[in-house]
Amino acid sequence: MYTTISLPGVIKTEKTIQSKYLKRGVEVEIFAPDNLLGNEQLNLLLLNDGQDAAELQLQNTLNTLYGQNKIEPLVIVAVKTSDNRLQEYGVAGMPDFQNRGSRAQAYTDFIIKELIPFVQTAVEFPINGKRAFAGFSLGGLTAFDVAWNNDNYFDAVGVFSGSFWWRKKDLKDGYTDNDRILHQRIKDTKTKPDLKFWLMTGTEDELADRNKNYIIDSIDDTIDVIKELLKKGYKRPDDIAYYEMVGGKHELATWAKAMTPFLLWAFGKKNLF
């Protein structure tokens, strides 16, 4: 089942994948350039919370960047979530203190074993370029975790206001920073996944400041992810980009504005002339 809508520079195709891992139909929107010759390097971006693609102004952003000749040919697959989002998103095999994220491994299996093979057949030309996974809030945490554990499928990660606070112990139960699940995942990984990272927060992402250092938790948690990556041997700016948007909030309007810098970082044309 699908419908196709043609837009200047971009074709949007809507499809549904029946997933045996998630035990449901997963709706996706595929955005592809409409003027390919077939000999270009074609890149891929998987995007969590794809139901928000319209509010993120994804089509307009792509059309603008293509019109300005600023990005390489790119297929974006926006994966719509379900009512079970809080169980399907998270860190695979490591639910949080409320047992959220209990289906994160099934979501990972869907991405790797069902979605990626599907995309290769659904797109007219082969995906032969860079591959990235991105998301917002909890979807960003999930994108990071999936790519971190499957770097043979991905080259880069984009996280917009990531839920890096994801923790195994509640604040009222003696929480410490060592209870953050994704940070521990990075520490415990023996290898150094072959990835590059683009991490974004907004200065008005939230108000919480659990350690009373006058820095909101979303910034603290993101900076601490970067510190763990640096300990692994990643370098700034070659491997890690950090974008702190002044006035940025935990909302789609902020992430829509941040989409252009992310796409330029991940898929920008380096030599325009």
Side-chain angles (χ1 to χ4, degrees):
M1 162 186 159
Y2 67 89
T3 58
T4 299
I5 303 171
S6 294
L7 295 166
V10 174
I11 299 173
K12 182 181 81 168
T13 304
E14 299 178 5
K15 298 194 176 185
T16 300
I17 305 166
Q18 295 300 325
S19 171
K20 69 177 183 180
Y21 295 101
L22 296 178
K23 296 179 172 53
R24 66 177 179 89
V26 182
E27 297 179 6
V28 300
E29 292 183 355
I30 302 175
F31 300 86
D34 65 355
N35 57 348
L36 295 180
L37 299 175
N39 61 346
E40 300 93 344
Q41 178 172 287
L42 188 58
N43 304 287
L44 174 66
L45 171 62
L46 303 185
L47 194 64
N48 280 332
D49 283 312
Q51 71 279 357
D52 296 323
E55 270 194 86
L56 288 166
Q57 302 179 42
L58 200 55
Q59 294 171 330
N60 292 337
T61 298
L62 287 171
N63 287 329
T64 297
L65 292 174
Y66 283 134
Q68 296 172 346
N69 195 32
K70 287 188 175 179
I71 58 171
E72 301 288 349
L74 169 65
V75 172
I76 297 183
V77 181
V79 186
K80 298 183 182 182
T81 190
S82 72
D83 293 339
N84 211 23
R85 179 178 184 271
L86 288 177
Q87 297 302 325
E88 293 180 353
Y89 283 2
V91 176
M94 301 177 70
D96 85 334
F97 67 95
Q98 292 185 345
N99 203 40
R100 294 172 293 191
S102 63
R103 301 273 298 152
Q105 183 58 58
Y107 187 74
T108 299
D109 289 338
F110 162 72
I111 294 293
I112 300 301
K113 300 176 183 179
E114 294 178 324
L115 180 61
I116 290 177
F118 173 84
V119 171
Q120 292 286 2
T121 62
V123 177
E124 182 178 3
F125 301 110
I127 305 293
N128 55 5
K130 290 179 289 187
R131 299 162 296 176
F133 199 180
F136 317 92
S137 190
L138 186 51
L141 173 78
T142 306
F144 189 110
D145 185 59
V146 173
W148 181 260
N149 293 295
N150 297 276
D151 64 320
N152 52 321
Y153 288 92
F154 299 100
D155 303 296
V157 179
V159 181
F160 299 68
S161 301
S163 297
F164 292 138
W165 58 265
W166 199 248
R167 51 185 173 256
K168 59 187 177 183
K169 187 180 292 185
D170 199 353
L171 295 179
K172 62 182 176 57
D173 294 329
Y175 163 90
T176 71
D177 283 349
N178 291 328
D179 292 312
R180 293 175 298 186
I181 293 172
L182 192 277
H183 300 74
Q184 192 63 47
R185 169 82 92 197
I186 296 172
K187 291 177 185 177
D188 290 344
T189 301
K190 304 301 183 185
T191 60
K192 177 174 173 275
D194 188 11
L195 293 167
K196 295 186 183 298
F197 307 88
W198 186 92
L199 308 177
M200 171 268 170
T201 57
T203 58
E204 297 180 22
D205 216 274
E206 62 178 337
L207 296 175
D209 177 15
R210 60 178 180 262
N211 61 0
K212 312 301 182 187
N213 68 345
Y214 302 101
I215 300 172
I216 58 175
D217 291 346
S218 58
I219 292 178
D220 267 343
D221 291 335
T222 301
I223 294 299
D224 286 348
V225 166
I226 293 173
K227 290 178 180 177
E228 293 300 333
L229 292 173
L230 292 173
K231 291 177 186 176
K232 281 282 184 186
Y234 297 100
K235 305 295 183 183
R236 293 188 65 192
D238 294 346
D239 305 317
I240 306 166
Y242 175 58
Y243 176 32
E244 190 171 293
M245 182 186 290
V246 176
K249 299 179 180 181
H250 202 86
E251 62 179 16
L252 292 168
T254 288
W255 302 330
K257 293 176 184 176
M259 183 59 68
T260 290
F262 167 66
L263 292 176
L264 291 174
W265 172 83
F267 305 107
K269 288 189 174 181
K270 307 306 180 187
N271 299 306
L272 298 181
F273 304 101

